[in-house]
Amino acid sequence: SFSHQLCHAANTSGGSSGSPVIDIHGRAVALNAGGSTQAASSFFLPLERVKRVLDLICKNKKVSRGTLQVEFAQKQYDECRRLGLPMDIEAEFRRKSPDLNGILSVKHIIPEGPADQVLATGDILIRINGNLVNHFVELEEILDSLSPENTGVISYITILIWRDKRFVEVKVAVQSLHDISPSKYVEVGGSIVHALSYQMARSYLHPCCGVFVADSGHMLGVAGIPSHAILTSIAHKKVRTLDDFIAVISKIPVGQKVPVRYYILTKKRVEIVKIVIVESLWGRFRVAERDDTSGLWTYTNLSYAFEEISPTKSIAKFVNIPQQNIHSIIASKITPSLCVVEFHAPFGVDGVNSKWADGVGIILDAKAGIVLVDRSTIPTGLGKLFLTFANNIIVPGQILYLHPYHNFAFVKYDVSFLTLSEEGGLPVTAVEFSNLPGLSSGDNCYLVTLSCITHIPKVQSVTVKGRGYFLFNDTTPPKFRIMNWDDAITLNKDVSGEAGVIVDDQGRVRAAWLETPDGHVFLGLTMESGSHVRKIIDHLKRQCAKLETDFNFDGPDLARDCKLRNVDAEFGEIYLWKSRELGLSESWIQKISNARSDIIQKSIEMYSKSSNNSTQHDICDLEDKYTILMVRRVPATRSYITLSDCDFSDDEDFETNEQNPKFKIGGFVEGDLVLALDGVPITHMAQFSSLEFNSSPSKEIVHEIVVLRNAKYLLLKIPSVVLTGTPRIDVVQWAGAVLQFPHRTLWFHCKTMPAGVYVSLLYSGSPAQRDGISACWFIVDVDGKKTPTLDAFLEAVEGPQWAEHIPKINPLTRQGWTEMRDENSESKKNASEFNRSARRISSVSQLERDKIAPLQEIKNGKLSDRPDGGEGNDTISADEFSGSKKREISYEGGVEEVGIEAPKVIDDGNMVVEPDDIVDSDEGEDILDIEQEPNKATVTRSFCIRMMSGEQVSKVVTVDVCLASKNYFPTWRCTVDETNK
């Protein structure tokens, strides 16, 4: 490794690398190779060897590269003198190269390379094959000429070096640099590995061998193996080469957990062991090999080993806790009812980009395997679940229900994995619920938490600090956010860090202690009888009683008919004195206060029946508040009329009061004080929602709601919405962008929802990321076609027949990616379809239009502007070029009749469209003649994409997708809708 560069005070900016450096005569003399951010200096690469490569490429010859796996540096003459170099040798070098001020010396030697144990660091290079060599260009010429690509055999060079004040002559083999540069990689479970490259080996002085993790992706990343690691063994079998890796992985059954040993390049002597789950669900198992003739990568599918993984007998028991006090007694009772839930996600959706999460699960039904867990652990419906019991047995699970608003979810695990353990099975038990009323301020109780690392329980005596409304702010990017929760429990101690349950002195559960998805904030979820969450739990238990005892992986069937009917808005609280300033009358304040007092009295009566000492509670803080509910956010839906559509002008002929509210057509507006629902004063947020347990279609229910708006009382008629909690997934990957229909939280984040598909994630280096697609924006238009849905988007980018060739992946099936059709035939199909569409003149950029205009004539006259008069759109569609199928196009060299326009586009970095490359089709479309131009990486199709942000800011980008990138970032669709089964 060596490079001779020129240092110059040019102060070139970032992004200018590769630009030509010209002299005063306009001749290129160097390439801009880099610069310093700390000074006004730049480095230029001379063109001697660059010109050689260019000449070989122009002659269609292979570029030979030789190497010794040695890094050389220029050592100054004065330093060579101090090392004892004779003066006559220095004088000989000075006469040969008067422009140089030094001699080549060995800086680093790559271990296990041709020069290892032959050359040594500090050796001064004198002669090669009898000739003085002190210039990098000379050294490169010798090595390249003796490369095995040129000679056909391994050649040796004789090197005379100065070492330890004496001359030493050695022979070193010349190796081909191409042989130690990776030309293939393996993709498995979303992870990418290949042989360690020479460049990485040189950077870390590592032998140029080993299985290198280029991208940890899903399979390795979830296990904690980072990118840029070197794998040494898998399942106790050594993997020294990429072929070893393929041979080992292909024999491991999908879903099997295996140990993987690795080390990172910065700590080569420290090996680490991780447990990896062999994955087929979130990525293909294939080999990609570089084809230098076409510039493409050819893909070959490899076969997974599919074997049914059955539960095995194992010895497992819960930790033994000596029952010395009430804390240890409670811990012994609760520990068998807690587990750790892991969530593995392949990519980010719904604003969540984490691939892994864990949390504590609360076992509700040990026979059916029903567990409650927080939404911080299960943020989305796209992922795989694993539940760990007693830090010993790992059991697969599946999502049953995700609450649309609140911080809890239900999952189901395979109970057969627990019943086969030794001594009759692991004694997992369901929690026992307390029959006491809900917790209130001042209540003394016990908090039992479980460490996700050690699985050791911890019990603390705590006191309830309060129970009331908790506001969760917006996140960036927008993701699931808890809303309409005025029943959150806080404790008097800072007990953040671990989740669990709040119990009484008998170990009976009174509330769940859960982590919120907004951060490391823990709050209590009340679980008294009749509460919102208990109603769902009771329904799930009734459903479980109807199922067979064996595990059924169609888990969502249990919760499919659990529906939440809700008044669709986000509510907050405002203090009484503020509501009075907004115009709320004393009579309404009195009505709401009296209604709240009635609730308090009922709570006191319930508690009196279950306890003999009611003086232990601060009754005034039980449920009473000094607040009125108000509308905080209104979703951007068509069901609501926006502020500009409602009439808020003063009506002098109509006086509104609490007895005579004015009827309004429309919905809520932010800031409305909500007073009554269907004639009942509003005291808490739970009144806006109700649960329905039926499989029949829900009927529309319209609520009459009294609000105070602009000091006027209005009667609104607002229909309720019905929400389900079963997993629904519909995402598309295109050009390295993961797209989805806007998730529910976005509707409360935007005032007006753009009519487009939402960009959830961008892969680094993808065409979408490179060309300016922005995450968290909406694609509303592709080449003049509206894209309000994923179907419309796929039709715009893949054609009307997209469903025939776009793979569909079901993430809830065991096969996952293996359900796709053959990769080679799919690649050919993609190439054929892509070549056809790449040459379709669907849009021409403004730059191209300026170049085309002088070269063409159109019978109907000059090119016109967009008919819609839109500003900022620099595209012109094929329909705007002409109104008929056959046109005469004037270009350099004559006139040709083609399917539609066939202008000659000057190459500006995009695809060059030549009229000779286009043939007429039966459909009247211009299609690339595939026989004339085979599948090349340079075949590119450009898409003009209009995007819009949630704040209604628009921009237009052009995304160029070549066949090589399309093969690497293929288009696919992942769809699961458990509500429709």
Side-chain angles (χ1 to χ4, degrees):
S1 176
F2 30 77
S3 176
H4 173 57
Q5 297 188 0
L6 306 175
C7 183
H8 197 280
N11 193 24
T12 55
S13 61
S16 60
S17 297
S19 302
V21 180
I22 59 177
D23 61 11
I24 59 175
H25 302 292
R27 296 171 299 189
V29 295
L31 291 179
N32 184 26
S36 173
T37 59
Q38 305 297 324
S41 59
S42 301
F43 299 94
F44 299 152
L45 181 67
L47 295 182
E48 291 95 337
R49 305 307 291 168
V50 176
K51 185 177 183 302
R52 167 190 174 263
V53 172
L54 179 61
D55 292 339
L56 290 174
I57 293 176
C58 291
K59 296 176 182 179
N60 200 24
K61 294 182 178 180
K62 188 172 183 178
V63 179
S64 60
R65 297 294 306 277
T67 181
L68 303 177
Q69 293 196 39
V70 176
E71 185 175 353
F72 291 92
Q74 199 93 26
K75 192 180 290 292
Q76 301 297 315
Y77 285 128
D78 57 347
E79 187 176 354
C80 295
R81 282 188 230 110
R82 290 195 295 271
L83 293 175
L85 184 69
M87 291 295 296
D88 58 335
I89 298 296
E90 177 183 341
E92 193 173 355
F93 274 113
R94 288 184 179 275
R95 287 193 299 270
K96 175 181 177 294
S97 304
D99 57 328
L100 296 180
N101 191 34
I103 308 175
L104 296 179
S105 66
V106 176
K107 184 178 181 180
H108 293 302
I109 301 173
I110 309 301
E112 300 182 15
D116 191 23
Q117 306 299 322
V118 179
L119 296 177
T121 301
D123 287 350
I124 298 176
L125 184 66
I126 305 298
R127 298 179 185 274
I128 296 180
N129 293 338
N131 300 316
L132 284 175
V133 175
N134 65 336
H135 200 288
F136 288 113
V137 174
E138 296 174 330
L139 180 58
E140 287 187 66
E141 289 177 348
I142 295 172
L143 296 180
D144 291 347
S145 64
L146 296 177
S147 173
E149 287 99 343
N150 284 337
T151 61
V153 296
I154 297 178
S155 302
Y156 288 84
I157 58 174
T158 301
I159 303 178
L160 180 66
I161 58 176
W162 177 260
R163 178 192 297 170
D164 298 333
K165 296 184 179 181
R166 62 190 181 92
F167 291 103
V168 178
E169 190 175 84
V170 296
K171 287 188 176 183
V172 184
V174 179
Q175 189 178 24
S176 171
L177 188 60
H178 296 297
D179 292 342
I180 55 175
S181 298
S183 60
K184 68 177 182 179
Y185 65 87
V186 174
E187 181 181 349
V188 54
S191 305
I192 295 177
V193 299
H194 58 68
L196 183 67
S197 68
Y198 170 70
Q199 287 73 19
M200 293 296 295
R202 180 185 60 83
S203 298
Y204 294 94
L205 293 181
H206 185 282
C208 197
C209 61
V211 180
F212 175 73
V213 180
D215 186 356
S216 59
H218 177 72
M219 188 180 82
L220 299 179
V222 166
I225 299 178
S227 299
H228 298 184
I230 301 293
L231 305 182
T232 60
S233 72
I234 300 175
H236 309 296
K237 297 180 180 179
K238 295 290 184 181
V239 286
R240 297 181 177 85
T241 65
L242 197 61
D243 291 336
D244 293 342
F245 176 86
I246 296 172
V248 172
I249 286 290
S250 61
K251 296 178 181 179
I252 301 175
V254 170
Q256 186 74 44
K257 304 178 185 67
V258 295
V260 174
R261 300 182 71 92
Y262 73 95
Y263 59 86
I264 58 177
L265 289 171
T266 54
K267 295 182 179 179
K268 296 185 284 292
R269 299 185 182 276
V270 179
E271 285 197 354
I272 305 172
V273 180
K274 296 288 185 180
I275 304 300
V276 174
I277 302 175
V278 176
E279 180 66 79
S280 69
L281 190 62
W282 302 121
R284 291 155 297 186
F285 187 18
R286 61 178 184 173
V287 176
E289 296 189 59
R290 190 182 68 239
D291 183 355
D292 293 331
T293 59
S294 66
L296 294 174
W297 293 82
T298 58
Y299 296 90
T300 303
N301 274 349
L302 302 176
S303 299
Y304 283 103
F306 281 102
E307 295 180 9
E308 193 65 30
I309 299 177
S310 303
T312 57
K313 289 187 177 182
S314 58
I315 299 176
K317 64 178 182 178
F318 291 103
V319 64
N320 184 24
I321 302 175
Q323 299 188 14
Q324 300 175 345
N325 50 42
I326 189 172
H327 285 193
S328 59
I329 293 174
I330 291 175
S332 297
K333 181 177 181 178
I334 295 298
T335 298
S337 302
L338 300 178
C339 63
V340 173
V341 181
E342 284 191 21
F343 177 82
H344 298 176
F347 48 80
V349 294
D350 295 351
V352 179
N353 196 23
S354 175
K355 295 182 179 179
W356 177 90
D358 67 347
V360 175
I362 304 169
I363 301 171
L364 305 175
D365 190 324
K367 182 179 291 187
I370 307 299
V371 174
L372 181 142
V373 68
D374 54 49
R375 290 297 304 271
S376 175
T377 304
I378 306 180
T380 71
L382 183 63
K384 295 178 65 176
L385 296 182
F386 298 93
L387 291 81
T388 306
F389 296 85
N391 210 0
N392 192 324
I393 300 177
I394 300 178
V395 180
Q398 190 170 355
I399 300 172
L400 287 179
Y401 182 87
L402 300 172
H403 198 281
Y405 284 136
H406 293 170
N407 184 33
F408 64 87
F410 297 101
V411 302
K412 188 176 187 294
Y413 64 86
D414 188 345
V415 296
S416 63
F417 280 74
L418 302 180
T419 57
L420 287 181
S421 61
E422 296 289 343
E423 300 178 358
L426 188 67
V428 175
T429 60
V431 294
E432 179 185 356
F433 291 107
S434 175
N435 57 1
L436 295 175
L439 291 168
S440 62
S441 178
D443 277 352
N444 296 319
C445 47
Y446 299 90
L447 174 65
V448 185
T449 58
L450 190 71
S451 170
C452 291
I453 300 174
T454 64
H455 291 227
I456 301 298
K458 180 180 179 182
V459 181
Q460 304 178 66
S461 298
V462 294
T463 302
V464 176
K465 181 179 180 181
R467 178 174 172 176
Y469 173 66
F470 205 94
L471 173 64
F472 297 89
N473 293 319
D474 295 330
T475 59
T476 303
K479 62 180 181 179
F480 171 78
R481 182 167 56 87
I482 302 172
M483 295 189 299
N484 300 343
W485 192 24
D486 60 353
D487 216 15
I489 297 173
T490 56
L491 302 178
N492 64 331
K493 292 183 179 180
D494 183 12
V495 287
S496 297
E498 296 175 352
V501 290
I502 300 174
V503 301
D504 60 15
D505 55 3
Q506 302 297 318
R508 298 172 300 186
V509 173
R510 302 189 67 183
W513 186 249
L514 305 175
E515 182 179 4
T516 65
D518 300 72
H520 297 289
V521 177
F522 289 76
L523 294 171
L525 173 69
T526 182
M527 302 187 75
E528 71 266 19
S529 179
S531 63
H532 186 78
V533 63
R534 280 289 296 277
K535 291 179 182 178
I536 303 177
I537 292 173
D538 294 341
H539 171 71
L540 291 177
K541 288 184 176 181
R542 290 192 298 268
Q543 292 292 96
C544 290
K546 301 177 184 179
L547 295 179
E548 298 178 355
T549 55
D550 59 329
F551 181 67
N552 181 359
F553 232 82
D554 289 330
D557 287 331
L558 294 171
R560 184 163 296 117
D561 58 353
C562 181
K563 302 174 183 177
L564 177 65
R565 185 177 291 277
N566 190 72
V567 177
D568 206 19
E570 181 183 358
F571 300 98
E573 291 184 344
I574 185 173
Y575 293 116
L576 293 177
W577 69 268
K578 290 184 178 181
S579 64
R580 187 178 287 110
E581 297 298 329
L582 293 175
L584 187 63
S585 66
E586 298 297 327
S587 60
W588 265 110
I589 294 177
Q590 186 66 32
K591 285 181 183 180
I592 295 174
S593 298
N594 291 341
R596 206 171 263 137
S597 298
D598 294 340
I599 297 175
I600 294 174
Q601 187 61 36
K602 292 180 181 179
S603 300
I604 295 174
E605 294 175 357
M606 290 177 59
Y607 179 75
S608 298
K609 295 178 181 179
S610 59
S611 175
N612 295 324
N613 187 6
S614 60
T615 59
Q616 294 179 355
H617 290 262
D618 187 354
I619 301 301
C620 293
D621 288 339
L622 191 62
E623 286 240 11
D624 209 357
K625 300 178 181 180
Y626 300 107
T627 59
I628 301 291
L629 295 188
M630 68 176 296
V631 177
R632 184 172 182 267
R633 294 280 179 86
V634 175
T637 65
R638 295 180 181 177
S639 301
Y640 291 91
I641 298 177
T642 60
L643 186 66
S644 60
D645 296 322
C646 295
D647 180 17
F648 297 125
S649 60
D650 293 333
D651 190 350
E652 298 179 357
D653 299 330
F654 185 86
E655 293 185 4
T656 64
N657 51 55
E658 54 268 32
Q659 287 79 29
N660 188 23
K662 181 180 179 182
F663 175 74
K664 273 286 184 181
I665 298 176
F668 289 127
V669 172
E670 286 86 349
D672 284 351
L673 299 187
V674 187
L675 307 178
L677 174 69
D678 295 330
V680 179
I682 295 292
T683 59
H684 56 286
M685 296 179 183
Q687 290 177 256
F688 293 111
S689 61
S690 62
L691 290 168
E692 298 178 357
F693 303 108
N694 58 76
S695 57
S696 59
S698 301
K699 298 180 181 179
E700 183 180 20
I701 297 178
V702 179
H703 296 285
E704 292 186 353
I705 302 177
V706 178
V707 301
L708 179 70
R709 180 187 302 167
N710 294 342
K712 294 181 181 293
Y713 294 93
L714 305 177
L715 178 63
L716 305 178
K717 289 191 175 183
I718 299 178
S720 60
V721 298
V722 177
L723 306 174
T724 63
T726 50
R728 301 184 67 180
I729 303 162
D730 193 2
V731 296
V732 167
Q733 175 182 274
W734 175 79
V738 175
L739 312 170
Q740 66 174 103
F741 188 77
H743 58 89
R744 180 158 182 79
T745 305
L746 277 174
W747 296 89
F748 290 91
H749 190 81
C750 304
K751 186 67 176 178
T752 302
M753 182 64 65
V757 293
Y758 181 66
V759 182
S760 180
L761 176 71
L762 295 173
Y763 285 104
S764 179
S766 65
Q769 185 261 350
R770 176 200 63 205
D771 292 338
I773 296 289
S774 298
C776 304
W777 281 52
F778 300 81
I779 297 178
V780 298
D781 184 293
V782 176
D783 291 339
K785 299 177 182 178
K786 302 297 182 184
T787 56
T789 64
L790 291 175
D791 288 347
F793 176 83
L794 286 173
E795 182 175 350
V797 298
E798 298 289 344
Q801 307 300 322
W802 62 268
E804 297 180 1
H805 63 274
I806 297 302
K808 292 184 180 180
I809 303 101
N810 186 340
L812 298 186
T813 61
R814 187 163 176 248
Q815 285 73 25
W817 278 96
T818 59
E819 295 176 340
M820 293 175 55
R821 54 179 61 88
D822 179 69
E823 187 75 24
N824 291 329
S825 62
E826 184 66 26
S827 179
K828 294 177 181 178
K829 174 72 173 176
N830 283 340
S832 176
E833 292 292 331
F834 191 78
N835 282 332
R836 291 166 60 92
S837 60
R839 296 297 183 156
R840 243 172 242 143
I841 313 300
S842 59
S843 63
V844 179
S845 67
Q846 182 65 47
L847 177 62
E848 293 169 339
R849 191 192 310 174
D850 293 340
K851 296 175 181 179
I852 295 168
L855 304 177
Q856 65 179 352
E857 294 178 358
I858 297 179
K859 287 185 176 180
N860 292 341
K862 296 182 179 179
L863 297 176
S864 61
D865 294 330
R866 288 183 57 86
D868 57 4
E871 296 181 359
N873 188 349
D874 59 355
T875 67
I876 180 168
S877 66
D879 292 337
E880 296 168 55
F881 265 108
S882 65
S884 62
K885 293 184 178 179
K886 299 293 184 178
R887 307 289 302 189
E888 283 188 350
I889 303 301
S890 175
Y891 62 98
E892 292 179 335
V895 176
E896 180 164 328
E897 186 177 63
V898 296
I900 57 174
E901 305 298 343
K904 180 181 178 67
V905 180
I906 300 176
D907 186 11
D908 61 346
N910 296 321
M911 175 191 65
V912 179
V913 180
E914 299 287 352
D916 292 340
D917 294 339
I918 301 176
V919 296
D920 192 24
S921 69
D922 295 336
E923 295 83 2
E925 296 175 336
D926 41 293
I927 300 172
L928 175 68
D929 187 349
I930 302 176
E931 298 297 331
Q932 188 175 12
E933 185 159 344
N935 307 333
K936 290 186 178 180
T938 54
V939 177
T940 303
R941 183 181 175 188
S942 297
F943 299 89
C944 179
I945 295 179
R946 182 180 293 275
M947 305 193 67
M948 184 175 292
S949 70
E951 300 298 325
Q952 304 297 303
V953 178
S954 298
K955 71 173 183 178
V956 177
V957 299
T958 299
V959 178
D960 296 329
V961 183
C962 67
L963 187 54
S965 62
K966 187 172 179 62
N967 285 337
Y968 187 79
F969 295 102
T971 303
W972 49 256
R973 188 170 190 174
C974 173
T975 304
V976 172
D977 189 352
E978 293 295 333
T979 62
N980 294 331
K981 282 190 176 182

